[in-house]
Amino acid sequence: MTMRTTVNVSVDAMIEDLRTLVEIESPSRDLEALTASAKTVASVIESRLGGRAVLIESEAGPHVHWSAGGDPKVLILGHHDTVFPLGTLERRPFTVEDGHATGPGVFDMLAGLVQAVHGLATLEDRSGVEILVTADEEVGSHSSRALIEERALACGAVLVCEGSADGGALKTGRKGCGTFQVCVAGRASHAGLEPEAGVNALIEASHQVLDIAALGRAEIGTTVTPTVASAGTLDNVVPAEATVIVDVRVESAGEKERIESAFAALAPHLADAEITVHGSIGRPPMPESASAGLFALAQQLLPGLEGRSVGGGSDGNFTAALGVPTLDGLGAVGGGAHADHEYVVIEAMTERANLVAGLVHAIQHMQENKNA
């Protein structure tokens, strides 16, 4: 099997659709903006693929689902929410220059959506193909997880159109990731007159930070990183409250269990201090075994294509954890996710659109052969 080279995918048309999506602006949790974005995503899908894209309402905003009909065979998975607040576009407008497209959300992951849609448009047979574009991936996928898992199990294969890894590599594995909030309750007192009467939540939080950081095991891919802390009210008051936010990444289910148990067991160092922990590793690890078969197909289609295991999570973590074959990083080639220098390499867009189309075509035929 070799990469198709004669399929007509218009770069200008992809850039037109990409501009349309970027200029809507779709920050997570902004329901009005996400509703407008979902309607626009649905319109782009319908205009390029026909049929009807359904908006599925949720507390996080509308998800977009499109099906070509027939027995489900493959799910194209993405999201339309971005990390950038309204107004970012005014400061950093959509621009095409020097072979790059730039603008808020262009790499993560609007270009990936556009490429997938245009790639599918080249297929005469789209039976069994579904597209699911969610509204809350950037904030944990709490409202969309059940829907993602339902459609993944129904389809039996998942192609995630998140941006590529460095150099255009596909993402063949991902760490499980989550956020914990450690809340410390102490007791306030006058810092000058009777500091001994208080229970210093800031000192307790400092002990907790050291205990928490010690949970990391970099040699097996486990990172435990305190990232945000707050404490105190006034400079002459022993702080009665403190909060520490912690980012956690793990490569195995065993480490997920160890870390969650360790946070649950955190104990105070100071008498009368109290510790409360919220959070979990919400995205399970995506092992490389989940992508092995689909990645082998991708390499047949595009010889020399590389795969890489990465630290960030995506909705592919959920589908892989179910045992559904999942391949990630099929979106744009570029970089700068969540940053002001976010960009997409335009000359790679056609190749990526064709790669998605080739994978869908191969999966369709594999499923037909199984059922024959």
Side-chain angles (χ1 to χ4, degrees):
M1 192 187 312
T2 56
M3 186 68 179
R4 300 177 308 161
T5 58
T6 59
V7 177
N8 180 26
V9 181
S10 168
V11 174
D12 288 342
M14 285 194 286
I15 293 296
E16 175 188 341
D17 286 347
L18 181 57
R19 179 188 296 276
T20 297
L21 295 184
V22 171
E23 291 185 346
I24 289 294
E25 291 196 285
S26 53
S28 304
R29 299 193 175 99
D30 187 320
L31 299 186
E32 183 176 349
L34 288 167
T35 297
S37 174
K39 290 178 179 178
T40 304
V41 169
S43 176
V44 168
I45 292 172
E46 291 172 351
S47 68
R48 301 298 178 183
L49 300 178
R52 179 167 177 258
V54 178
L55 269 57
I56 301 173
E57 298 296 334
S58 81
E59 61 185 13
H63 313 307
V64 183
H65 181 245
W66 176 89
S67 173
D71 293 335
K73 295 183 178 73
V74 57
L75 177 66
I76 307 295
L77 185 57
H79 63 90
H80 66 100
D81 63 320
T82 73
V83 301
F84 301 102
L86 289 180
T88 302
L89 186 70
E90 183 177 358
R91 176 173 58 83
R92 191 159 57 88
F94 180 79
T95 304
V96 176
E97 190 175 53
D98 297 329
H100 289 175
T102 58
V106 69
F107 178 67
D108 186 11
M109 60 164 288
L110 300 176
L113 296 177
V114 168
Q115 291 167 185
V117 169
H118 282 256
L120 291 177
T122 69
L123 296 176
E124 292 184 8
D125 178 14
R126 300 175 200 135
S127 60
V129 179
E130 296 188 16
I131 300 173
L132 179 59
V133 186
T134 64
D136 63 345
E137 192 274 345
E138 295 291 5
V139 290
S141 304
H142 301 295
S143 77
S144 59
R145 180 174 181 174
L147 178 61
I148 291 166
E149 293 176 338
E150 173 196 316
R151 298 323 307 157
L153 287 168
C155 291
V158 178
L159 304 178
V160 185
C161 291
E162 292 279 2
S164 68
D166 290 347
L170 300 189
K171 295 173 179 176
T172 52
R174 285 183 179 273
K175 290 185 179 183
C177 53
T179 302
F180 291 84
Q181 182 183 60
V182 180
C183 299
V184 179
R187 184 169 60 245
S189 67
H190 195 293
L193 295 178
E194 47 179 1
E196 69 284 351
V199 177
N200 195 314
L202 177 55
I203 292 176
E204 180 60 55
S206 301
H207 285 294
Q208 295 300 322
V209 165
L210 296 176
D211 291 347
I212 290 165
L215 296 173
R217 293 181 180 175
E219 69 277 7
I220 57 172
T222 300
T223 60
V224 182
T225 310
T227 54
V228 180
S230 61
T233 53
L234 294 170
D235 57 3
N236 63 350
V237 178
V238 171
E241 296 180 349
T243 302
V244 178
I245 308 295
V246 187
D247 178 275
V248 176
R249 314 276 166 151
V250 299
E251 289 186 357
S252 70
E255 279 296 275
K256 176 181 184 295
E257 294 174 4
R258 181 182 73 85
I259 291 295
E260 289 180 340
S261 296
F263 271 92
L266 289 175
H269 289 250
L270 303 182
D272 296 331
E274 297 180 358
I275 306 293
T276 306
V277 177
H278 305 280
S280 65
I281 298 175
R283 294 187 192 274
M286 174 183 163
E288 291 191 319
S289 58
S291 66
L294 292 175
F295 181 56
L297 278 180
Q299 287 184 306
Q300 292 178 51
L301 291 163
L302 194 57
L305 187 63
E306 295 183 354
R308 195 163 300 152
S309 187
V310 298
S314 82
D315 287 336
N317 291 58
F318 298 134
T319 62
L322 296 172
V324 178
T326 300
L327 185 58
D328 205 336
L330 286 160
V333 176
H338 298 190
D340 281 353
H341 65 280
E342 183 180 20
Y343 70 95
V344 167
V345 178
I346 293 171
E347 68 176 3
M349 293 182 73
T350 297
E351 182 176 82
R352 287 293 162 138
N354 277 319
L355 177 58
V356 171
L359 282 167
V360 168
H361 181 72
I363 292 167
Q364 287 173 317
H365 282 271
M366 288 173 60
Q367 293 290 346
E368 290 169 3
N369 291 336
K370 282 183 182 180
N371 297 331

